[in-house]
């Protein structure tokens, strides 16, 4: 499938970072749950933020983030304090979903894959916010921004797919290194969660822009099968309602443990729920 860019013309724009900043503002509008701050390339990290790459080097920072996450989960769901591994799992899920959108958002919306360094992605130590420092990106030859300094031109769509898979895997490694030992799960389960969150972000953008089928197709082309380190592929399938309407769904390759926080509830793609219950949720809205 050829996804045509939907970006605005670049006339008068002289940098890739300015274009990416515009992409991130659009992404924030489409994703209200993503609290995103855009920082200039010369900005300092400051005490409020932790760079993505430093989490694996500083366990005390991860400890503080987990403590805040436990308090947040308790406040949101008003249940008993979750187990430490559940807190870590929910935080990893949130971090993966949000930071992957910084890559998959510009790819899905504008056919550009940001080239973000670990220090360009920052996580708030105090709330749900994230910060990004936009820079260069990879794009296709017919992109109007291909001539700008900082644009890396790739030959075709599959090369752009590989660029996104590689960038997402790189970001995920930092988070899995920092949090994996606290989750009581092996590498396949952790990378399954990463794959789920990469696919879920693209699916979310399709719904937010009013074209779910386009997003399902795009995610399927990005991950048509297991592509190491991602273990399963997007794996979308169809469910048919009583009126004959067909709905896309998938089953997560990993588990986010949401059902352990609000007892009796599971996410819409949980391996623990059958297709009848899944369809009832979809049709019921």
């Amino acid at each position: 499938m050829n996804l045509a860019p939907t970006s605005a013309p670049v006339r008068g724009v002289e940098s890739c970072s300015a274009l990416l900043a515009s992409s991130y503002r659009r992404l924030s509008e489409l994703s209200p749950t993503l609290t995103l701050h855009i920082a200039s390339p010369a900005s300092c990290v400051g005490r409020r933020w932790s760079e993505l790459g430093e989490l694996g080097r500083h366990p005390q920072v991860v400890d503080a983030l987990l403590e805040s996450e436990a308090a947040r989960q308790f406040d949101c769901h008003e249940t008993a304090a979750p187990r430490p591994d559940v807190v870590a799992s929910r935080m990893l899920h949130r971090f993966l979903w949000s930071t992957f959108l910084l890559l998959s958002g510009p790819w899905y919306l504008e056919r550009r894959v940001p080239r973000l360094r670990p220090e360009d992605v920052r996580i708030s130590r105090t709330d749900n916010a994230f910060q990004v420092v936009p820079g260069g990106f990879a794009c296709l030859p017919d992109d109007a921004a291909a001539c700008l300094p900082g644009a890396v031109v790739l030959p075709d769509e599959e090369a752009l797919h590989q660029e996104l898979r590689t960038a997402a895997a790189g970001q995920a490694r930092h988070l899995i290194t920092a949090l994996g030992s606290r989750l009581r799960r092996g590498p396949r389960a952790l990378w399954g969660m990463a794959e789920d969150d990469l696919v879920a972000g693209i699916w979310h953008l399709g719904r937010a822009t009013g074209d779910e089928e386009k997003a399902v197709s795009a995610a399927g082309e990005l991950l048509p099968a297991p592509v190491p380190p991602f273990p399963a592929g997007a794996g979308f399938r169809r469910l048919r309602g009583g009126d004959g309407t067909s709905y896309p769904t998938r089953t997560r390759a990993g588990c986010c443990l949401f059902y352990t926080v609000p007892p009796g509830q599971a996410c819409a793609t949980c391996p623990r729920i059958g297709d009848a219950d899944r369809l009832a949720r979809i049709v019921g809205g």
Side-chain angles (χ1 to χ4, degrees), residues 54-73:
E54 76 174 304
L55 296 184
R57 301 192 301 269
H58 300 291
Q60 69 275 16
V61 173
V62 177
D63 290 339
L65 289 170
L66 287 169
E67 184 176 347
S68 297
E69 183 72 17
R72 186 178 301 115
Q73 290 185 27

Side-chain angles (χ1 to χ4, degrees), residues 23-39:
S23 299
Y24 286 135
R25 284 190 287 271
R26 184 182 177 199
L27 180 63
S28 294
E29 292 173 359
L30 291 170
S31 307
T33 59
L34 176 65
T35 304
L36 182 61
H37 301 273
I38 301 168

Side-chain angles (χ1 to χ4, degrees), residues 64-126:
L65 289 170
L66 287 169
E67 184 176 347
S68 297
E69 183 72 17
R72 186 178 301 115
Q73 290 185 27
F74 182 79
D75 291 342
C76 288
H77 301 288
E78 297 182 349
T79 59
R83 302 190 316 257
D85 64 302
V86 173
V87 174
S89 177
R90 296 298 297 160
M91 190 168 80
L92 178 60
H93 163 59
R94 181 167 64 85
F95 285 0
L96 286 168
W97 189 87
S98 299
T99 58
F100 279 164
L101 276 177
L102 304 181
L103 299 169
S104 65
W107 169 77
Y108 180 75
L109 297 171
E110 299 175 347
R111 316 313 294 146
R112 296 166 183 159
V113 177
R115 292 199 150 189
L116 298 175
R117 303 167 301 173
E119 59 265 35
D120 294 332
V121 179
R122 303 166 181 174
I123 296 169
S124 173
R125 298 188 183 194
T126 58

Side-chain angles (χ1 to χ4, degrees), residues 1 3 107-108 158 161 165 195 198-200 202-203 212-227 232-237 250:
M1 181 183 64
L3 293 178
W107 169 77
Y108 180 75
E158 180 50 36
H161 288 159
R165 289 190 293 259
E195 179 178 65
L198 178 58
V199 172
I202 297 166
W203 195 6
E212 182 179 20
E213 296 296 338
K214 175 182 170 182
V216 167
S217 179
E221 291 186 1
L222 176 68
L223 290 166
V227 182
F236 280 97
R237 53 195 174 84
R250 66 182 299 271

